[in-house]
Amino acid sequence: MFWQFLKMDLRRKGCLILLLVLVLVVNIVKGDNNVVFNVKHKYGGRGGSVLNELKAHDSRRHGRMLAAVDFQLGGNGQPTDAALYYTKLTIGTPPKDYHVQVDTGSDILWVNCAGCRRCPSKSSLGIDLTLYDLKASASGKTVSCDQDFCTDMFNAPYSDCRVGAPCEYQVTYGDGSSTSGYFVKDFIHFDQVSGNLKTTAMNGSIAFGCSSSQSGELGSSTQAVDGIIGFGQANSSLISQLAVSGKVKKVFAHCLDGSNGGGIFAIGQVVQPKVKSTPLVPNEPHYNVVMKGIEVNGKALDIPTTIFDAGSNRGTIIDSGTTLAYLPNKVYSALMSKLMVKQPDLPTHLVEGSFHCFYYSGKVDDGFPVVTFQFADSLSLTVYPHDYLFQVNDNEWCIGWQDSGMQTKDGKEITLLGDLVLSNKLVLYDLENQSIGWTEYNCSSSIKVRDETSGKDYTIGAHNISSASTVNSRMLSMFILMISILCNLLK
């Protein structure tokens, strides 16, 4: 009796359920003149006892961001520490997959290469590390120092260049770690948007760093990946190289899912949702914007706006590779004094020396204020209590705001907004018009991008490569066949 009922119920629902699963599998595919990446958050969803990791990551990153970057080519890019989000790139002929950290503050793409000294061999992220082997790729070639890349990309001559010698690079970071090697050029394969949740293959010949030696944190991190993909503004970045070749425009967006991990990362003009923007500060190595003030529950903090120009960088840095948010001391103190206004008798305690924490059993969005940042051109950015508060134990919450003067290696105060502020928002970087913008958004949903060739708008969805991988046509065909067979058995 039970089997008859189950069989009849499966006849009605089974094929529909399997087809819905198929739709979800197809939804993995992305990418026309718009390129989409699967993105995975390095730490997954926020929460849990990860404060040591987050703090150490941000501390290393700040040291690197503020340090001078030394390219032998005379480059002015400033690659930073590995970002919190990574994606999968396919490189070479035959193609091989590489997991690289997505970094909006870096200017080059580099991967670990065969024969690399002190390159990591294992990762705790659940991915297999792969070394790029130039000799094993039929489409790969060395970039020599007498080629245009060495002068054009970095706007400087290559000293002591011998014809045919490799175009070398060396990056030394603020915490003493480094990567060095030489540039190569090879095909990088992308998913190009060709319809709603449909893609076609696209490749571009891209110059990237082949890391032959590493030191410090880069060579010893247990949360290792195969390299870094830089989405900075310099001519050497991947998006700049693709734009020069006419394959894309210099516009990209990310939507980082702060709850579930993963999200959306795409090259292309976003047409839905609509995004309001603010100008980028010119001649800065990072994505800097002009902050006008901060409001707590709609009331402005009593602070001079000139304080946001403190330090060597002008304006406020927007950086998806930093976990927390860092404010100058006077701003930090003023903000912290207002956060507890609704809870005057709630005692706080320090965790790990600098995180102000407390025990609270109520709903944090009801008990603590909303913080709003105001920028030039009337662009605002709202941060809710559930964004800036971390639950580290049962009913124990910690505040994510940090004093930047106490965090940077050289003690300089900066204003830097990381994932604490940027998660669960679509952030659009328009380098064509030198602006950046954002809007609150469900990063587990989808966005629409415009195909510049046809003028059509296409939908692309969110992804999380920790739980799903790209499905090729053979696997998809086999899955459809399995559905057909099972449905016939249930008739």
Side-chain angles (χ1 to χ4, degrees):
M1 188 73 176
F2 172 76
W3 169 248
Q4 288 179 337
F5 171 78
L6 179 62
K7 186 175 180 181
M8 182 172 62
D9 191 53
L10 282 173
R11 278 202 301 266
R12 291 197 309 265
K13 301 178 181 177
C15 293
L16 175 60
I17 293 173
L18 288 172
L19 286 172
L20 288 174
V21 172
L22 175 60
V23 171
L24 291 176
V25 172
V26 173
N27 194 43
I28 293 171
V29 186
K30 323 124 320 251
D32 221 328
N33 291 346
N34 302 300
V35 180
V36 186
F37 299 93
N38 281 317
V39 180
K40 152 80 174 154
H41 194 288
K42 195 172 181 179
Y43 299 117
R46 287 220 311 262
S49 184
V50 296
L51 296 184
N52 270 325
E53 292 180 86
L54 302 183
K55 190 79 170 294
H57 170 272
D58 286 355
S59 180
R60 292 192 302 269
R61 184 173 179 80
H62 294 167
R64 294 173 184 179
M65 287 185 64
L66 297 177
V69 176
D70 181 20
F71 282 96
Q72 291 187 19
L73 309 177
N76 53 20
Q78 294 190 353
T80 64
D81 190 12
L84 290 176
Y85 291 82
Y86 63 88
T87 187
K88 185 169 67 175
L89 288 182
T90 302
I91 304 175
T93 307
K96 292 185 178 181
D97 292 335
Y98 302 84
H99 293 85
V100 291
Q101 294 169 323
V102 176
D103 191 355
T104 58
S106 297
D107 292 320
I108 68 169
L109 162 66
W110 62 264
V111 296
N112 299 324
C113 285
C116 177
R117 297 188 302 275
R118 293 210 64 205
C119 282
S121 58
K122 294 182 180 180
S123 175
S124 62
L125 297 176
I127 59 176
D128 294 326
L129 299 182
T130 303
L131 295 175
Y132 175 80
D133 188 349
L134 178 64
K135 296 179 180 178
S137 176
S139 53
K141 60 185 70 175
T142 303
V143 176
S144 62
C145 62
D146 57 309
Q147 290 181 298
D148 290 341
F149 176 85
C150 275
T151 54
D152 292 347
M153 285 294 173
F154 300 102
N155 299 313
Y158 190 103
S159 61
D160 302 324
C161 175
R162 301 186 311 275
V163 176
C167 178
E168 299 177 343
Y169 77 92
Q170 179 176 353
V171 183
T172 302
Y173 297 107
D175 64 351
S177 64
S178 66
T179 175
S180 62
Y182 54 95
F183 282 101
V184 298
K185 206 166 191 177
D186 206 342
F187 285 128
I188 298 181
H189 308 266
F190 304 98
D191 290 326
Q192 183 176 354
V193 178
S194 57
N196 289 324
L197 303 176
K198 296 180 180 179
T199 63
T200 56
M202 180 184 86
N203 63 58
S205 184
I206 301 296
F208 57 93
C210 187
S211 179
S212 58
S213 179
Q214 292 179 5
S215 68
E217 177 68 21
L218 287 175
S220 61
S221 175
T222 58
Q223 294 166 330
V225 290
D226 296 313
I228 296 177
I229 180 172
F231 271 85
Q233 304 183 64
N235 292 334
S236 55
S237 70
L238 178 140
I239 190 170
S240 295
Q241 292 189 60
L242 288 174
V244 168
S245 67
K247 292 184 179 294
V248 300
K249 285 191 173 182
K250 294 178 72 173
V251 182
F252 68 94
H254 61 65
C255 196
L256 307 176
D257 194 326
S259 301
N260 305 313
I264 302 170
F265 198 107
I267 298 175
Q269 181 62 54
V270 177
V271 294
Q272 186 179 325
K274 298 295 184 182
V275 177
K276 191 174 181 180
S277 63
T278 188
L280 288 170
V281 177
N283 303 317
E284 289 294 327
H286 305 292
Y287 293 110
N288 291 32
V289 291
V290 176
M291 187 185 294
K292 294 293 188 179
I294 302 176
E295 297 176 356
V296 180
N297 265 359
K299 295 184 178 180
L301 286 182
D302 185 16
I303 50 176
T305 57
T306 54
I307 200 168
F308 297 117
D309 294 329
S312 59
N313 293 291
R314 292 184 296 142
T316 298
I317 302 171
I318 304 297
D319 180 23
S320 63
T322 294
T323 304
L324 305 173
Y326 297 82
L327 304 169
N329 178 263
K330 289 183 179 180
V331 180
Y332 171 78
S333 299
L335 175 60
M336 292 293 285
S337 67
K338 296 294 185 182
L339 292 184
M340 308 301 288
V341 169
K342 290 186 178 181
Q343 311 293 336
D345 300 323
L346 187 66
T348 61
H349 58 277
L350 283 180
V351 173
E352 298 173 13
S354 63
F355 285 92
H356 290 269
C357 305
F358 53 85
Y359 291 96
Y360 187 77
S361 58
K363 188 175 179 181
V364 293
D365 282 339
D366 294 334
F368 297 87
V370 171
V371 178
T372 304
F373 295 91
Q374 300 291 351
F375 297 90
D377 286 1
S378 302
L379 178 64
S380 62
L381 193 156
T382 301
V383 188
Y384 299 94
H386 66 262
D387 292 322
Y388 65 76
L389 296 176
F390 292 83
Q391 187 171 14
V392 293
N393 290 302
D394 290 342
N395 296 329
E396 184 180 18
W397 296 82
C398 293
I399 301 171
W401 307 113
Q402 294 290 292
D403 185 336
S404 66
M406 298 178 64
Q407 301 302 319
T408 56
K409 188 176 181 180
D410 56 6
K412 290 183 179 179
E413 293 188 316
I414 60 173
T415 307
L416 188 152
L417 305 181
D419 292 346
L420 177 113
V421 167
L422 302 179
S423 293
N424 307 314
K425 296 174 180 65
L426 180 73
V427 184
L428 176 64
Y429 302 76
D430 188 344
L431 306 188
E432 302 277 341
N433 295 303
Q434 282 294 291
S435 66
I436 184 172
W438 48 74
T439 187
E440 292 182 28
Y441 204 64
N442 177 6
C443 296
S444 294
S445 58
S446 62
I447 64 174
K448 285 189 176 183
V449 296
R450 176 154 296 160
D451 172 21
E452 297 293 337
T453 303
S454 66
K456 294 181 179 179
D457 299 338
Y458 294 132
T459 300
I460 60 173
H463 307 276
N464 190 335
I465 58 177
S466 63
S467 58
S469 58
T470 303
V471 179
N472 61 35
S473 58
R474 180 178 297 180
M475 291 175 62
L476 192 57
S477 298
M478 291 176 63
F479 191 38
I480 294 173
L481 179 61
M482 290 170 60
I483 293 175
S484 177
I485 293 172
L486 183 55
C487 288
N488 286 330
L489 289 175
L490 293 174
K491 288 182 179 179

